[in-house]
Amino acid sequence: MVNGPTTIEFSTPESRGEEVDRWAALMEQTYFPLAFGPIRDAPVYGKVTSGALPGAADFSLTVLAGHNHQYLRTKTHVARAAEEYVLVSIQVAGEARLTQSGRSVLLEPGQMTILDGSLPSLWDEAVAFEQVLVQIPVGTLRERPGLSAVPIPAAVAIEPDSPAGVVATYFRNLARIRERAPAQAEILARSALDLLGSAVLLTAGVAPVDTPSDALSREHVMTYLRDNYTDPDLTADDIAAACHISRRTLFRLFAGPGESLNTTLRTLRLRHATRLLTNNHHLPTAAVAFASGFSSERHFYRVFHHETGTTPGEYRHRCPPRQPVGRDKDP
């Protein structure tokens, strides 16, 4: 089960003082021994939201945002650590540079990298940024299939459109969904450990094995569906080809109770339709149907009534209009 995340936030106009010292102590408690200091003599801001993930002890997901941050981990810090960790960082906004083992990578939004907590490192150039961070003990990671002796591929930029980059999208979505839909996040988080192991293996140039491979393939399909579900002509063959898997494998990935491919696609389309009905009262029902990926207004009406017990018009009438918003990604 995903424990409820906790959030701490601070802001100070000074680059030194008690607030900065307290933040430094909090970062050391959240992760491992390290030194925090502002990059320049300017205001400092920080916000951290952290919670546990299922599947292992000390396995956590954190959203870290801030302004004017630098983190240094020296050999002395490494020697003080009671446990060694691997930290996976996904850049959401802004830029940040990681330097470790003679390599330096400047992360841009969407990119992911891995930090080996058993080695000195430097995080800098984080003037204004947001990151999703996944932390796990090295020993726990080594217990995953195929990872017992693989070198940790630290300070390597992982692109969002690469196979391992699918995992970055997964953790970004998980962090976002956990804030507004904890029950859905709990279901989504069940694959977290397998997918993290797959990302490390793929970045190290090793093919995932057994369960992690299935978990990665399913998340790859889900990423594709979230980007394309509004296409009414989308077919199973299209999805399988785009995700480089067979049609048989595609249906096997969605073979669990209530998890068929058609059910998943229908759920994504219905959620989008309900948002359009609520946020865009001026849109005709037919436009909502086609914009959500349904092949016809009649088909949309029938599916909507079957799933919600009401018609699209009745649903819209019950929901007061809100400010129009852009299309959200779905879990």
Side-chain angles (χ1 to χ4, degrees), residues 46-314:
K47 180 180 179 181
V48 59
T49 301
S50 187
L53 288 170
D58 295 329
F59 183 31
S60 65
L61 178 70
T62 302
V63 178
L64 174 63
H67 179 84
N68 196 13
H69 286 211
Q70 177 176 278
Y71 296 92
L72 174 65
R73 183 164 165 80
T74 66
K75 291 181 180 179
T76 301
H77 291 127
V78 172
R80 281 172 44 201
E83 175 115 50
E84 295 180 358
Y85 289 89
V86 169
L87 191 68
V88 174
S89 175
I90 301 121
Q91 199 74 11
V92 176
E95 296 180 342
R97 181 178 297 278
L98 169 65
T99 302
Q100 187 173 59
S101 300
R103 292 191 296 270
S104 183
V105 56
L106 181 64
L107 284 189
E108 298 179 348
Q111 291 181 320
M112 178 171 73
T113 196
I114 301 171
L115 180 148
D116 185 345
S118 67
L119 300 172
S121 58
L122 172 66
W123 276 107
D124 62 353
E125 298 192 27
V127 176
F129 70 97
E130 181 179 353
Q131 297 172 333
V132 171
L133 302 166
V134 184
Q135 180 173 305
I136 190 168
V138 172
T140 302
L141 189 65
R142 292 294 185 199
E143 294 172 356
R144 308 305 300 167
L147 281 162
S148 60
V150 172
I152 303 300
V156 175
I158 302 167
E159 298 298 332
D161 58 352
S162 68
V166 172
V167 180
T169 302
Y170 164 81
F171 280 112
R172 284 183 62 177
N173 283 336
L174 180 58
R176 178 180 56 83
I177 294 166
R178 190 174 62 174
E179 293 183 356
R180 60 179 175 82
Q184 292 180 12
E186 181 176 342
I187 296 171
L188 191 62
R190 294 171 186 169
S191 299
L193 192 52
D194 286 341
L195 288 169
L196 180 63
S198 294
V200 175
L201 285 169
L202 287 166
T203 307
V206 180
V209 296
D210 301 330
T211 304
S213 179
D214 276 355
L216 185 65
S217 295
R218 191 180 192 282
E219 184 55 32
H220 192 186
V221 172
M222 287 302 303
T223 298
Y224 182 79
L225 290 180
R226 294 183 194 107
D227 290 337
N228 295 278
Y229 66 83
T230 56
D231 179 1
D233 296 322
L234 187 65
T235 66
D237 288 337
D238 295 333
I239 299 166
C243 297
H244 308 290
I245 58 176
S246 68
R247 182 185 173 96
R248 180 179 179 181
T249 297
L250 174 63
F251 285 109
R252 179 174 58 79
L253 293 174
F254 291 84
E259 292 185 338
S260 73
L261 178 64
N262 287 338
T263 299
T264 301
L265 194 55
R266 183 169 64 246
T267 298
L268 290 171
R269 288 169 170 167
L270 280 172
R271 286 175 181 164
H272 189 59
T274 57
R275 284 195 297 268
L276 290 178
L277 289 169
T278 303
N279 300 327
N280 300 274
H281 277 220
H282 65 284
L283 277 182
T285 304
V288 171
F290 288 115
S292 302
F294 291 93
S295 57
S296 68
E297 183 179 9
R298 181 178 180 182
H299 180 224
F300 169 55
Y301 186 98
R302 185 170 62 251
V303 171
F304 195 94
H305 188 271
H306 179 268
E307 296 294 331
T308 67
T310 187
T311 69
E314 291 169 344

Side-chain angles (χ1 to χ4, degrees), residues 23-64:
W23 181 261
L26 173 65
M27 290 296 96
E28 185 161 334
Q29 285 180 340
T30 303
Y31 302 112
F32 31 61
L34 47 74
F36 165 77
I39 300 172
R40 59 190 66 166
D41 187 12
V44 186
Y45 166 77
K47 180 180 179 181
V48 59
T49 301
S50 187
L53 288 170
D58 295 329
F59 183 31
S60 65
L61 178 70
T62 302
V63 178
L64 174 63

